[in-house]
Amino acid sequence: MRILITAGPTREYIDPVRFISNSSTGFFGYQIASEAVRRGHKVTLISGPTCLIPPKGAKFIPVVSALGMKRAVDKYFPGSDCLIMSAAVADYRPVTASSRKIKKEKAALVLKLVRNPDILSLAAGKKKRQVVIGFALETGGLKNNAKEKLKKKNLDYIIAASLNNKKSPFGDREISVLIMSRTGKTETFLSDKKGLSRIILDKAEVSKYHCGSDII
Ligand code: C5P
């Protein structure tokens, strides 16, 4: 399969040195990419800035902002069999980025932000034969929110994790996730990200080879 994977955070620059971003390390997406390479898939990894080394054998496309990630997904999605969108895309970006470093002259500074496009929804809206897998991090209503996002974004699967428990879902540790298929069938897994990568790729592969049928 030709698998397109996105990973990491995006950075939305305010001025040449400051940006809005989030705590994503990119670890999950890179794990999925290396497991996919290991299985012999043709992998394209589109990544926001991280400290990780891309897996050997994957085509690596570094990006910075949500708009940059969207351009890359738009380019590679039509030629892919599967999109796994694990990137933590910033929902908003500054309306304008200052070309000069903003001076701390004022006592208060108001930043005007504008919504970024939902890359996953837009790609899934154009899907033909592709298996599309999205992610969700929730602070409450995990199952209901996952179900709503799966439908709204036209996904085949959603991988949802809760931010409620004390363990952070970021980085390299065991996490609990709920995996829901488009038929609404739901499973919960507790595993490290390597194990979860295998489970996610198993689902993508069977889904693809069985022409999108539900394999949970
Ligand atoms: O709506 P929410 O941000 O919770 O959805 C998360 C999923 O949507 C993730 O798979 C993420 O990569 C994707 N996403 C996106 N573009 C955005 C925001 C989220 O593709 N602007």
Side-chain angles (χ1 to χ4, degrees):
M1 276 165 82
R2 295 159 301 174
I3 306 186
L4 181 60
I5 299 165
T6 68
T10 64
R11 284 183 185 176
E12 312 301 325
Y13 273 88
I14 296 163
D15 70 15
V17 287
R18 303 179 180 106
F19 53 82
I20 297 171
S21 194
N22 57 65
S23 316
S24 169
T25 62
F27 188 78
F28 206 169
Y30 279 59
Q31 280 290 311
I32 299 170
S34 43
E35 175 63 14
V37 169
R38 199 190 63 75
R39 291 180 181 207
H41 296 297
K42 194 166 172 247
V43 177
T44 301
L45 174 63
I46 299 171
S47 176
T50 74
C51 300
L52 304 171
I53 298 165
K56 273 205 183 89
K59 184 182 176 98
F60 183 63
I61 315 289
V63 297
V64 176
S65 65
L67 293 182
M69 185 169 279
K70 181 179 181 300
R71 276 193 295 276
V73 170
D74 286 348
K75 180 172 174 189
Y76 290 98
F77 181 68
S80 302
D81 301 303
C82 174
L83 168 64
I84 302 179
M85 188 83 202
S86 79
V89 184
D91 289 323
Y92 293 90
R93 66 178 184 278
V95 174
T96 49
S98 168
S99 57
R100 289 164 166 244
K101 193 176 169 203
I102 298 169
K103 298 272 183 206
K104 50 178 178 297
E105 288 156 350
K106 299 177 195 158
L109 180 70
V110 177
L111 275 180
K112 193 163 181 193
L113 305 177
V114 63
R115 269 285 285 277
N116 272 325
D118 192 308
I119 304 169
L120 178 61
S121 282
L122 291 169
K126 287 183 252 168
K127 84 186 177 101
K128 295 199 165 75
R129 58 193 186 280
Q130 292 97 337
V131 179
V132 177
I133 302 177
F135 287 68
L137 261 186
E138 306 291 345
T139 46
L142 190 66
K143 197 169 174 183
N144 284 343
N145 284 328
K147 193 173 175 183
E148 203 182 302
K149 275 180 196 173
L150 183 113
K151 279 229 162 75
K152 199 169 131 199
K153 301 196 186 204
N154 191 28
L155 308 178
D156 295 293
Y157 292 98
I158 191 155
I159 320 297
S162 178
L163 268 172
N164 269 350
N165 46 30
K166 288 186 188 87
K167 282 189 201 161
S168 158
F170 298 113
D172 179 13
R173 50 177 64 86
E174 204 171 59
I175 56 165
S176 167
V177 298
L178 179 151
I179 302 186
M180 191 180 282
S181 79
R182 63 185 303 127
T183 60
K185 214 163 178 187
T186 306
E187 286 174 301
T188 313
F189 297 93
L190 176 68
S191 173
D192 61 11
K193 289 178 177 170
K194 196 171 189 168
L196 292 172
S197 301
R198 294 196 187 111
I199 293 165
I200 293 165
L201 285 166
D202 285 349
K203 295 200 181 299
E205 286 166 4
V206 182
S207 230
K208 184 68 197 160
Y209 300 138
H210 290 251
C211 300
S213 60
D214 184 11
I215 51 101
I216 286 186

